[in-house]
Amino acid sequence: MTNKIVLITGATSGFGAAAAMKFASQHYDIIITGRRAERLQEISLKIQERYNVKVLCLNFDVRQRKAVEQAISSLPEPWKAIDLLINNAGLALGRDNFEEASIEDWETMIDTNLKGLMYVTRAVLPLMITRKKGHIINLGSTAAKEVYEKGNMYCASKSAVDALSKAMRIDLLPHRIKVTAIHPGAADTEFSMVRFKGNEALAKKVYEGYQPLVAEDVAEVIYYTASLPDHVCINDLIITSTSQANSFYTFKNS
Ligand code: NDP
Ligand code: 8X3
């Protein structure tokens, strides 16, 4: 395989799906992962209709450590030369006061956003270390930078992604592996439908009265951070729509 290889977790929708299209358009071969197998097949077909690159679908839940290890260790040999890992799979569940929020939701967020990222990264890292190069991009959030009301465990899980990204950057220096944390603000994807458990009215409200980011905006920025020379690493990057300053301030029409 002569193209670079990117592995994207959570590529069945939102940032992950948009990043898969963007990297394919830039001649990367793509490993797309997620739990929804049919979506993976649809995206794979779409990529191959448009771009002359190879696509491999890996269907696993990032919370299942054994499944993650199995999926990565059974990659066909040419696919093991992963240049770029995008740890994107993640979710928020609920917006409730600390004393009322569902502990099951909290556990799911920690298991996905933090432990899932940890399992995937540890499974992929030996492949990068052997090659003495690689780039890991972790999706944090503005929620990692400012904790907001009723954001409790989502904010905590993304703060942990922020801290882990810093820690990885230090420990992986000798291996010449770049670590970039990207922290988007509000973006109109399936994120809010998931957070509000299918309540369309609540999900839509998040994006009312202003132009939020869309998945392609974030994919563009992810690609930019991956397109720089080997000796250049963007460590930490916050991206919001022009209407948003941070977790607290969004300028809305009336
Ligand atoms: P989407 O809901 O559109 O996409 C989330 C992706 O994560 C899906 O592909 C989903 O795939 C995957 N995923 C979720 N849980 C698991 C799991 N247990 N195992 C494997 N894959 C999983 O949301 P976004 O694209 O918006 O979110 C992507 C990342 O960006 C998340 O980490 C999110 O926290 C973060 N983010 C989002 C922002 C936003 O406003 N949208 C802003 C800042 C950060 P499947 O369901 O098929 O498994
Ligand atoms: C998603 C953005 O504001 O819902 O990470 O936390 S926010």
Side-chain angles (χ1 to χ4, degrees), residues 178-249:
K178 301 189 201 187
V179 180
T180 299
I182 297 183
H183 302 283
D188 191 355
T189 62
E190 293 179 15
F191 176 85
S192 290
M193 279 295 275
V194 172
R195 177 172 227 171
F196 295 111
K197 303 175 183 175
N199 185 326
E200 205 170 339
L202 281 181
K204 273 196 173 146
K205 209 166 181 323
V206 174
Y207 309 113
E208 267 169 18
Y210 69 106
Q211 164 72 65
L213 294 171
V214 294
E216 288 71 22
D217 300 325
V218 177
E220 201 63 46
V221 168
I222 294 173
Y223 178 73
Y224 173 71
T225 68
S227 66
L228 297 166
D230 280 351
H231 69 286
V232 182
C233 179
I234 293 191
N235 293 347
D236 200 61
L237 190 153
I238 299 174
I239 164 179
T240 64
S241 85
T242 309
S243 301
Q244 184 177 14
N246 56 33
S247 287
F248 306 123
Y249 293 100

Side-chain angles (χ1 to χ4, degrees), residues 1 3-9 28-33 56 58 60 68 71-73 75-87 120-121 123-137 176-177:
M1 289 166 102
N3 290 344
K4 285 189 171 177
I5 298 175
V6 57
L7 187 156
I8 305 171
T9 68
Y28 273 71
D29 290 330
I30 321 277
I31 304 171
I32 48 175
T33 83
L56 184 75
L58 291 183
F60 62 81
V68 172
I72 303 300
S73 67
L75 277 173
E77 210 51 45
W79 284 100
K80 287 189 172 160
I82 295 170
D83 294 282
L84 174 61
L85 165 63
I86 304 178
N87 279 315
V120 174
T121 306
V124 170
L125 257 179
L127 306 175
M128 290 184 170
I129 289 173
T130 306
R131 299 174 69 232
K132 293 193 173 47
K133 64 174 179 175
H135 188 177
I136 299 169
I137 299 178
R176 299 192 56 76
I177 293 171

Side-chain angles (χ1 to χ4, degrees), residues 10-15 34-36 60-63 88-91 112 140-141 154 158 184-187 189-191:
T12 55
S13 68
F15 304 162
R35 291 167 300 178
R36 286 170 290 180
F60 62 81
D61 184 327
V62 295
R63 293 171 297 175
N88 165 74
L91 78 174
T112 310
S141 167
Y154 180 66
K158 290 298 184 178
T189 62
E190 293 179 15
F191 176 85

Side-chain angles (χ1 to χ4, degrees), residues 35-59:
R35 291 167 300 178
R36 286 170 290 180
E38 319 81 69
R39 287 271 195 113
L40 288 175
Q41 290 307 327
E42 282 165 25
I43 288 165
S44 170
L45 270 180
K46 204 161 129 187
I47 292 174
Q48 286 172 87
E49 274 165 18
R50 291 193 199 171
Y51 307 109
N52 183 26
V53 298
K54 297 187 182 69
V55 185
L56 184 75
C57 300
L58 291 183
N59 182 209

Side-chain angles (χ1 to χ4, degrees), residues 162-180:
D162 194 17
L164 263 189
S165 303
K166 291 176 188 158
M168 285 161 61
R169 193 172 306 116
I170 298 167
D171 292 349
L172 298 177
L173 278 178
H175 304 294
R176 299 192 56 76
I177 293 171
K178 301 189 201 187
V179 180
T180 299

